[in-house]
Amino acid sequence: MLPTSSSTKARSGSHVARPNTFLPQYLRKIVKWQQMDIEYTFWQMLLLCTSPKVVYQHTKYHKQTKNQWARDDPAFVVICSLLLAISTIAYCAAYDHSAGHAAFVVISVLLFHFFITGGLVAAFFWFVTNNYLREEVPDSHVVEQRVEWLYAFDVHCNSFFPMFALLYVLHYFLSPLLVAHGFVPVLLSNLLFMAAISYYHYLNFLGYDVLPFLERTTFFLYPIGVAIVLSPILILSGFNPSRYFMNMYFSRLL
């Protein structure tokens, strides 16, 4: 019985230690880019813009093989950060004249637009899903499942990338028109922001709807209705979100 008991403890110990060692391993891969699957990440990014349901179908496969919903590869976060930095540098090259201010803009966009905002959004949805959207399990013998914070951050990153493509990349090429004065720039800017925000929340919905232990996930679609209602109000009021957010960093547009 002793070998059996010790082996059981060993298995139990490895199971307990796994969550504690996962995050350091995840962070170590950031500096070891050879271990990151770059090709698969770009494939996911393309599908998030064209067929996002396929991405979350593969999330199910990942759960079956790795026994966790969250990615164990930081490649998506790293590449997203690099693309965001490159796009911000392009904006600075077009609209900024100070290298020091440009560096400040790049760092602040990376920190506040992606990491800090993403962390807060992930924490909020992690709290909401685990406390209000999980299905009640009547059988006490069934293992309780919870949303991992890192998975909530993954969902945010997945939802962020198509929004990045619209509000950072496409917006960059359209910015001479969008920041101009007049009704047409106001109309186009609001429509672009509405589409980006709506698609972001739709992908949020897909990310949490794939989890079998959550219910009432249509909660994540409600902000789309808010965006659709607010958009015509903002258009009629003459509010231009492109000018507003660009002026936050590049005051010479005023």
Side-chain angles (χ1 to χ4, degrees), residues 88-106:
T88 307
I89 291 171
Y91 276 97
C92 292
Y95 296 104
D96 209 338
H97 293 299
S98 168
H101 184 260
F104 166 78
V105 170
V106 173

Side-chain angles (χ1 to χ4, degrees), residues 191-249:
L191 291 177
L192 182 62
F193 272 76
M194 182 191 70
I197 292 170
S198 298
Y199 198 67
Y200 172 88
H201 288 287
Y202 171 68
L203 290 187
N204 265 350
F205 162 73
L206 292 182
Y208 292 103
D209 190 57
V210 76
L211 302 179
F213 54 91
L214 294 183
E215 57 184 3
R216 304 186 302 277
T217 52
T218 51
F219 162 81
F220 295 99
L221 297 176
Y222 295 163
I224 298 177
V226 176
I228 293 174
V229 170
L230 285 180
S231 186
I233 298 175
L234 295 176
I235 292 172
L236 293 175
S237 67
F239 176 74
N240 188 328
S242 295
R243 286 186 62 84
Y244 176 80
F245 288 108
M246 293 281 283
N247 284 331
M248 290 177 62
Y249 293 104

Side-chain angles (χ1 to χ4, degrees), residues 6 11 19 26 30 32 64 78 83 104 118 133-134 148 160 174 176 181 188 216 234 240 243 246 250 252 254:
S6 61
R11 287 195 299 269
Y26 182 89
I30 294 178
K32 296 182 179 179
Q64 295 170 359
V78 172
L83 292 176
F104 166 78
L133 301 182
R134 284 191 303 143
E148 308 152 4
F160 178 85
L174 296 178
H181 294 280
L188 294 179
R216 304 186 302 277
L234 295 176
N240 188 328
R243 286 186 62 84
M246 293 281 283
F250 310 111
R252 75 186 188 92
L254 289 169

